[in-house]
Amino acid sequence: MGEKEMEHTVDRLNRPAYSIIVPTYNERLNVAIIVYLIFKHLPDTNFEIIIVDDGSPDGTQDIIKQLEQLYGEDRVLLRARPKKLGLGTAYLHGLKHATGDFVVIMDADLSHHPKYLPSFIRKQKETGADIVTGTRYVNNGGVHGWNLMRKLTSRGANVLAQTLLQPGASDLTGSFRLYKRSVLEDLISSCVSKGYVFQMEMIVRATRKNYHIEEVPITFVDRVFGISKLGGSEIVGYLKGLVYLLVTT
Amino acid sequence: MKHIFKIIAVLVAISAFWVALLETSTVPRSYTWLLPIYLVVALGCYGLFMVGFGLMFFPTCPQEAILLQQDIVEAKEFLAKKGVDVGSE
């Protein structure tokens, strides 16, 4: 191997690349802030941000294009889709354009704060984990913006899921996670659920397949709770999801 | 093996144990008949305790909302300087 090739190999070995996939829909106000914060908290990391926008009518894509100009099209990538097509396929779409060794998924509405990204990366490096998932339900984590009813349903759902499924993670419905690229590809191809049940299915299937899962505490500031209430149909959907996971995993 | 089968296997084992107890009568029968009910009640109590305990010590982070607002202000200042449109609602 020539000297230049060896340098290139060593460079790749010393700098794992991270692809951060952020699905967006009508996040005109938040998308720029989250990109700024990611750059702020990952100063010496080799990463790219892949924003999968589902045809937002509020001009989110215009903002993303401005961000591409500001930060470089190799660091911020807009990979849009024509309309709302679901979370699982959004990750798949992002994966197609991702060149990283690791993939981070996170929400665009600032409920997931980029300041935790270094702790995800550090945990993965320390333990060699296949998946690092953020958990809100431990002492250094937490939630803000939930009333008592919301906390009750969350806690009840969690106890039920832990007892019935033994899922291998304390926060099942969380969507702030770091995956090894191959692991994400494998899991996405085996998961068929939608919405938050999809996140549950990913972690449960990962546990069943004996992937190494680690957790880091994260805080979650719920700013949309006032808009999306947790009603009876959500609870029924959750129970259906539990039964589905019981029977198919 | 699907997880439901593991649960069913555990239930079958418990049922077999219960039937064996009934047959051998080492424990008085009237008591043995009630054992499944005791088990369900115990499970229910465990569940309620776990939920109540978790609810009491549910981790919250009110300071994070404030920190987030500061981050948003900082981000908007930077982005406005660089010409990115961060107009408000």
Side-chain angles (χ1 to χ4, degrees):
Chain A
M1 224 193 290
E3 210 179 293
K4 207 153 181 223
E5 287 150 300
M6 276 177 77
E7 258 180 51
H8 178 70
T9 311
V10 169
D11 189 56
R12 267 196 66 86
L13 284 175
N14 284 344
R15 301 185 51 177
Y18 298 88
S19 295
I20 305 173
I21 300 180
V22 184
T24 59
Y25 188 75
N26 281 348
E27 295 288 359
R28 205 182 105 253
L29 298 170
N30 293 327
V31 69
I33 298 172
I34 203 166
V35 168
Y36 168 80
L37 287 172
I38 292 175
F39 275 93
K40 175 182 175 185
H41 289 282
L42 291 180
D44 297 313
T45 312
N46 182 6
F47 71 89
E48 61 182 358
I49 307 176
I50 301 173
I51 308 179
V52 180
D53 183 76
D54 281 357
S56 299
D58 72 345
T60 302
Q61 294 190 19
D62 297 326
I63 308 288
I64 301 173
K65 288 186 188 135
Q66 291 178 27
L67 292 166
E68 279 181 325
Q69 291 307 308
L70 174 58
Y71 289 103
E73 283 175 352
D74 57 331
R75 307 304 294 282
V76 177
L77 288 71
L78 167 65
R79 294 294 176 261
R81 300 194 300 176
K83 56 175 184 157
K84 260 192 159 195
L85 293 171
L87 207 56
T89 50
Y91 295 144
L92 265 175
H93 188 79
L95 257 184
K96 271 195 282 238
H97 304 282
T99 54
D101 310 294
F102 296 93
V103 179
V104 175
I105 60 162
M106 59 190 299
D107 290 349
D109 61 0
L110 296 176
S111 53
H112 294 151
H113 199 299
K115 68 182 171 188
Y116 295 106
L117 286 169
S119 67
F120 278 86
I121 293 175
R122 195 181 323 125
K123 188 68 161 190
Q124 196 286 323
K125 283 190 174 154
E126 281 169 1
T127 62
D130 297 310
I131 304 175
V132 180
T133 177
T135 173
R136 299 163 283 183
Y137 302 144
V138 292
N139 270 332
N140 292 333
V143 178
H144 177 76
W146 284 3
N147 61 11
L148 190 66
M149 244 344 255
R150 182 71 184 86
K151 287 182 193 170
L152 177 64
T153 45
S154 159
R155 187 64 196 157
N158 201 271
V159 169
L160 197 59
Q162 294 292 334
T163 314
L164 290 179
L165 283 176
Q166 262 124 46
S170 62
D171 189 345
L172 275 183
T173 56
S175 49
F176 196 177
R177 296 182 181 157
L178 172 113
Y179 293 86
K180 269 187 194 165
R181 197 223 171 91
S182 55
V183 174
L184 182 61
E185 282 166 351
D186 175 34
L187 287 173
I188 280 199
S189 62
S190 12
C191 292
V192 297
S193 313
K194 311 258 178 251
Y196 59 83
V197 182
F198 171 78
Q199 304 294 354
M200 292 169 65
E201 191 178 0
M202 295 281 280
I203 277 291
V204 172
R205 288 208 189 274
T207 302
R208 301 287 182 259
K209 292 186 185 212
N210 289 319
Y211 281 123
H212 180 179
I213 302 174
E214 292 284 340
E215 289 191 310
V216 293
I218 58 165
T219 55
F220 183 91
V221 178
D222 197 337
R223 304 161 81 215
V224 299
F225 175 56
I227 306 170
S228 59
K229 301 245 183 265
L230 209 62
S233 62
E234 253 101 11
I235 296 181
V236 169
Y238 176 79
L239 292 172
K240 278 192 191 164
L242 266 186
V243 173
Y244 165 78
L245 288 174
L246 258 182
V247 172
T248 59
T249 62
Chain B
M1 195 193 341
K2 308 290 181 203
H3 202 72
I4 186 80
F5 293 148
K6 286 195 187 137
I7 296 184
I8 291 176
V10 168
L11 288 175
V12 165
I14 293 178
S15 309
F17 176 71
W18 179 61
V19 168
L21 269 185
L22 279 177
E23 294 295 306
T24 60
S25 298
T26 44
V27 179
R29 280 217 164 170
S30 52
Y31 182 66
T32 314
W33 274 113
L34 291 175
L35 274 181
I37 303 188
Y38 292 150
L39 183 66
V40 170
V41 170
L43 270 175
C45 288
Y46 167 80
L48 278 175
F49 172 75
M50 290 299 283
V51 171
F53 183 81
L55 197 60
M56 244 197 333
F57 294 106
F58 203 102
T60 57
C61 51
Q63 74 282 1
E64 291 293 329
I66 300 171
L67 289 174
L68 182 61
Q69 287 309 311
Q70 291 173 353
D71 280 331
I72 292 177
V73 167
E74 178 190 319
K76 281 186 168 175
E77 273 175 22
F78 175 85
L79 291 163
K81 257 194 304 196
K82 302 280 181 175
V84 177
D85 177 17
V86 283
S88 49
E89 247 157 314

